[in-house]
């Protein structure tokens, strides 16, 4: 329900969730369900770009902006996302200076390239995500409170996979079909014990870890039926450890 509301509102949307929960997948789904679906979907991982380059990456630059700049300038991600959606992953990685510039763009719906004098209107829906408490970052003065409240008009929290185990069978089926097709293999099925192990595991890497596990399994399984021995050692060891916890100890032998 929140995802549909997020697709229909022009307001920014803030997505919370642990690493690997599928924040980018949700952002893509929001874009696809919106009236901007025919426009571009541009994704930026704010923590993956050096801080010295992030401002020009977002807002672009003119050809004379700095030494080494491209002669014709460079359009930033806001310009590339015009008419569509811009997704800023790990927005907590933005410096305070860039946060101020981002707030200005949200307020004016326009950008000014680095080294430029003229502002350009942009029509962009902003989605942002984080795996940390932005309110905590505000309290530590590491994140601007005015930007936080502007972004937090609508927020969605994706629970970790360990709290939604009912999704695991359908995700396993989805990933198994994806990777077996890529390998040209027959359909894969998981026997009861292997599925129980997947349901039992706590998935610290969430959906990303589950997908990696299924990809590995699709590559290494010897036949079309996946057994416990085909799964990763992390999953198998966790499964056996949990079984030992649930098995009552044998009563001590008494002397005759």
């Amino acid at each position: 329900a929140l995802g549909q509301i997020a697709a229909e509102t022009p307001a920014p949307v803030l997505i919370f969730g642990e690493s690997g929960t599928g924040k980018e997948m949700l952002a893509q789904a929001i874009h696809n369900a919106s009236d901007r679906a025919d426009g571009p979907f541009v994704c930026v991982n704010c923590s993956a770009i050096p801080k010295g380059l992030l401002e020009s990456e977002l807002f672009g630059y003119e050809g004379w902006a700095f030494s080494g700049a491209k002669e014709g300038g460079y359009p930033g991600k806001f310009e590339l996302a015009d008419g569509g959606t811009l997704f800023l992953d790990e927005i907590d990685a933005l410096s305070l200076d860039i946060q101020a510039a981002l707030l200005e763009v949200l307020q004016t719906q326009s950008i000014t390239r680095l080294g430029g004098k003229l502002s350009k209107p942009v029509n962009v829906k902003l989605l942002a995500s984080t795996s940390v408490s932005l309110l905590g970052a505000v309290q530590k003065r590491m994140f601007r409170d005015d930007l936080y409240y502007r972004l937090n008009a609508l927020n969605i929290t994706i629970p970790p996979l360990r709290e939604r185990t009912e999704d695991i069978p359908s995700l396993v089926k989805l990933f198994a079909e994806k990777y077996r097709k890529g390998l040209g293999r027959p359909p894969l099925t998981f026997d009861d014990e292997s599925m129980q192990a997947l349901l039992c595991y706590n998935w610290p890497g969430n959906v990303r870890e589950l997908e990696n596990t299924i990809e590995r399994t699709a590559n290494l399984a010897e036949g079309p039926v996946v057994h416990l021995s085909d799964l990763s050692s992390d999953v198998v060891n966790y499964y056996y450890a949990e079984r030992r916890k649930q098995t009552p100890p044998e009563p001590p032998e008494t002397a005759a």
Side-chain angles (χ1 to χ4, degrees), residues 142-213:
M142 298 172 63
F143 201 88
R144 292 179 62 106
D145 57 353
D146 46 5
L147 178 59
Y148 170 72
Y149 294 120
R150 184 64 185 263
L151 293 173
N152 204 36
L154 177 63
N155 67 71
I156 301 174
T157 298
I158 305 177
L161 191 56
R162 62 184 173 274
E163 294 179 9
R164 49 188 176 106
T165 54
E166 68 277 4
D167 292 342
I168 290 177
S170 58
L171 288 170
V172 168
K173 184 177 180 181
L174 174 70
F175 296 141
E177 181 64 11
K178 171 183 175 181
Y179 288 109
R180 76 91 187 168
K181 274 188 175 180
L183 295 167
R185 294 192 56 172
L188 285 173
T189 58
F190 289 72
D191 68 15
D192 290 343
E193 191 173 36
S194 64
M195 181 58 72
Q196 190 57 43
L198 294 171
L199 290 168
C200 166
Y201 189 58
N202 66 347
W203 300 110
N206 291 294
V207 177
R208 184 182 299 122
E209 184 183 6
L210 175 61
E211 181 171 4
N212 291 343
T213 296

Side-chain angles (χ1 to χ4, degrees), residues 13-85:
V13 178
L14 189 56
I15 303 172
F16 294 94
E18 292 180 7
S19 178
T21 49
K23 297 186 288 294
E24 184 177 346
M25 291 172 62
L26 176 59
Q28 180 76 67
I30 291 171
H31 169 75
N32 292 345
S34 75
D35 58 5
R36 298 171 177 268
D38 292 334
F41 176 79
V42 178
C43 177
V44 180
N45 186 327
C46 299
S47 68
I49 301 172
K51 291 185 178 181
L53 300 177
L54 192 51
E55 188 173 8
S56 62
E57 191 71 23
L58 291 176
F59 309 120
Y61 60 78
E62 298 294 357
W64 55 84
F66 50 83
S67 176
K70 293 182 179 180
E71 184 177 346
Y74 176 80
K77 293 298 190 283
F78 270 96
E79 287 182 72
L80 295 175
D82 192 26
T85 302

Side-chain angles (χ1 to χ4, degrees), residues 58-60 75-76 78-79 101 104-105 108-114 118-122:
L58 291 176
F59 309 120
F78 270 96
E79 287 182 72
E104 179 72 13
V105 172
T108 65
Q109 293 294 299
S110 64
I111 61 101
T112 303
R113 289 185 179 185
L114 294 183
L118 299 177
S119 63
K120 300 181 180 182
V122 288

